[in-house]
Amino acid sequence: MTEDNKNDFKDDCCKNLVYVSEDIVNTGIGVVIDVQNVYKYFGQLKVLNGISCAIKKGEKVAVIGPSGSGKSTLLRCMNLLEEPTYGEVWLDASIMTPVDPYLHKSILVKSNTYKRLMIEEIKSMLGKGEKDKLKYDDAIRLVDGDTLENMSDKVLKQIKSGDRLKKREGIEFVKAVKAYKDRYGVNINKARQRVGMVFQHFNLFNNLTILQNMILSPVQLKLKSKEDATYKALKLLERIGLLDKKDEYPSKLSGGQKQRVAIARALVMDPEVMLFDEPTSALDPEMVGEVLSLIKDLADEGMTMVIVTHEMGFAKEVANRVLFLDGGNIVEENTPEELFNSPKNERLKDFLSKVL
Ligand SMILES: Nc1ncnc2c1ncn2[C@@H]1O[C@H](COP(=O)(O)OP(=O)(O)OP(=O)(O)O)[C@@H](O)[C@H]1O
Ligand SMILES: [Mg+2]
């Protein structure tokens, strides 16, 4: 693909891009993960279509939806395993993604694109002779407040819906982005460690023993001394009834046991929130229960969690809130009682009729 093609393509796939939120005042009170208008493209494929959702402390949120609807991608964006194409992800009132200028009016108005378009708007109101040498600041002075406000809204909308920002947006713009990042930014690697993730296929290292698997990250990342990590890992293994397996290799464990180890491994890092991506769907049916019961115990203890699951019964039992994803959008969200008993959206009704 040539550079030009790429740009054409980008324009094409972004032409329906409409950002909704304006300046975010992210107080972070009670919100652990805040997903703000996240878009994700894989090549031409738009997988997340401007998703916003906030996960509050102590909440248990189930994510359901058809295969390919973007559930895993959303989860992976929540801990930056995938970087959103547009939009922001916040963890505890710190921004983990690059700043998305489209989400912040105060940044957009510093851009050259905004200034250029504003001058064009203003010039269109003026007589021919006055047009030529007008500078941004002078142009602004010529227009009264209300008119300016309306023009500004119009221009901001054009910029957002047309994905109009380009590379050279000027020093003021760059400064504004940087100031935002300085104020709210956080070391992504550090932040990510506070988000535990459990995958469908366990992702244990087969060449390491269970205990080695559990202490690897916290020790390598210098979050814990080897002694502390080992102490914590052994406690967790005891809790899940697998202390006697500490020196075994993963291949010696059943699927259910491996998944419980994977969950315990995430807990060694003292995460603030746990993300589960279909933690039971690779398991034989008789092992599903032991894993769900461990997750339920964690939920009961107050752990904040987001669970992508096909286990509707479990979602009903454990979640405070259920999000239904379809085509990269949250199409419906509600308490489990409401969502399962009186679904409103047609596609949700159709989905539930197939899975319940
Ligand atoms: N790294 C990638 N590169 C290209 N396409 C991807 C990538 N990851 C996901 N996709 C595509 O994005 C879409 C959504 O995938 P995702 O895994 O988020 O769906 P899902 O809702 O989790 O589905 P499932 O229920 O089958 O797990 C799919 O069409 C998938 O093929
Ligand atoms: Mg998935």
Side-chain angles (χ1 to χ4, degrees):
M1 216 186 244
T2 67
E3 210 42 48
D4 272 358
N5 276 343
K6 264 193 211 150
N7 287 338
D8 285 354
F9 164 66
K10 189 164 177 252
D11 285 347
D12 187 46
C13 64
C14 296
K15 65 174 175 262
N16 296 322
L17 195 80
V18 181
Y19 286 122
V20 282
S21 28
E22 286 299 337
D23 263 323
I24 303 163
V25 182
N26 191 310
T27 57
I29 296 172
V31 174
V32 180
I33 294 185
D34 200 0
V35 173
Q36 293 276 359
N37 215 18
V38 161
Y39 287 76
K40 179 70 188 180
Y41 294 88
F42 290 112
Q44 312 213 13
L45 187 68
K46 189 199 270 184
V47 175
L48 298 180
N49 189 18
I51 285 197
S52 298
C53 61
I55 311 298
K56 299 197 195 76
K57 196 162 175 54
E59 252 195 324
K60 295 101 194 38
V61 177
V63 181
I64 62 169
S67 181
S69 57
K71 305 180 296 296
S72 295
T73 307
L74 174 61
L75 214 63
R76 293 166 65 80
C77 281
M78 284 182 178
N79 74 342
L80 274 291
L81 280 177
E82 298 287 356
E83 189 174 303
T85 310
Y86 300 89
E88 296 177 353
V89 179
W90 294 67
L91 177 70
D92 272 345
S94 297
I95 187 170
M96 294 203 289
T97 47
V99 175
D100 180 352
Y102 288 106
L103 286 174
H104 307 282
K105 185 173 172 182
S106 60
I107 295 177
L108 278 182
V109 299
K110 302 262 165 63
S111 67
N112 285 343
T113 301
Y114 174 83
K115 289 176 185 171
R116 184 169 46 74
L117 292 171
M118 280 300 280
I119 290 186
E120 278 170 26
E121 281 293 314
I122 292 167
K123 278 180 178 173
S124 72
M125 291 173 53
L126 302 173
K128 249 190 166 335
E130 297 167 278
K131 281 185 182 180
D132 297 338
K133 283 184 233 104
L134 216 50
K135 290 238 166 53
Y136 176 73
D137 290 339
D138 300 328
I140 295 288
R141 257 179 244 124
L142 292 173
V143 185
D144 73 72
D146 283 349
T147 317
L148 198 64
E149 192 98 332
N150 288 335
M151 284 179 165
S152 170
D153 283 349
K154 186 175 158 194
V155 162
L156 288 170
K157 209 165 155 195
Q158 277 178 38
I159 294 176
K160 289 178 182 191
S161 60
D163 186 26
R164 294 286 284 270
L165 294 183
K166 295 288 169 270
K167 275 235 157 69
R168 289 183 191 77
E169 291 295 347
I171 292 171
E172 280 186 52
F173 175 84
V174 173
K175 267 193 193 155
V177 171
K178 187 172 177 306
Y180 209 84
K181 191 79 192 176
D182 287 348
R183 181 156 176 212
Y184 296 108
V186 71
N187 178 313
I188 293 175
N189 289 325
K190 280 241 162 71
R192 198 189 273 141
Q193 291 153 20
R194 288 155 47 201
V195 183
M197 178 113 188
V198 174
F199 305 89
Q200 187 175 348
H201 292 289
F202 331 128
N203 297 18
L204 297 176
F205 295 104
N206 288 323
N207 57 333
L208 299 179
T209 66
I210 299 305
L211 184 59
Q212 286 166 343
N213 261 285
M214 291 180 70
I215 66 172
L216 182 72
S217 296
V219 172
Q220 266 192 357
L221 296 167
K222 297 195 170 38
L223 290 176
K224 282 189 163 35
S225 66
K226 192 169 176 195
E227 292 68 38
D228 286 353
T230 305
Y231 179 77
K232 176 120 203 203
L234 293 175
K235 275 253 178 247
L236 284 161
L237 281 174
E238 189 176 7
R239 170 182 174 169
I240 62 172
L242 294 176
L243 190 54
D244 58 333
K245 305 282 188 198
K246 68 181 168 61
D247 298 319
E248 297 283 8
Y249 288 87
S251 59
K252 292 281 163 57
L253 269 60
S254 73
Q257 290 173 332
K258 278 189 224 177
Q259 192 59 306
R260 286 188 286 141
V261 168
I263 294 170
R265 175 180 61 173
L267 294 172
V268 177
M269 309 272 280
D270 301 319
E272 270 167 74
V273 49
M274 289 282 286
L275 309 177
F276 296 92
D277 192 358
E278 296 196 36
T280 59
S281 55
L283 299 177
D284 291 338
E286 72 268 23
M287 290 167 191
V288 169
E290 63 191 61
V291 172
L292 290 185
S293 121
L294 173 57
I295 297 174
K296 189 167 181 314
D297 286 348
L298 292 176
D300 291 343
E301 286 164 18
M303 176 65 81
T304 309
M305 49 176 78
V306 184
I307 314 164
V308 173
T309 184
H310 286 303
E311 304 274 345
M312 298 301 145
F314 182 69
K316 263 186 206 170
E317 194 187 333
V318 172
N320 319 119
R321 190 152 61 99
V322 184
L323 311 180
F324 172 65
L325 240 69
D326 192 44
N329 294 299
I330 296 175
V331 175
E332 192 162 329
E333 68 169 284
N334 218 326
T335 59
E337 296 76 36
E338 283 292 315
L339 189 125
F340 289 113
N341 299 334
S342 18
K344 291 168 193 70
N345 180 276
E346 285 309 316
R347 280 181 293 186
L348 173 58
K349 285 182 195 168
D350 182 50
F351 174 76
L352 291 177
S353 74
K354 286 175 189 147
V355 295
L356 283 182

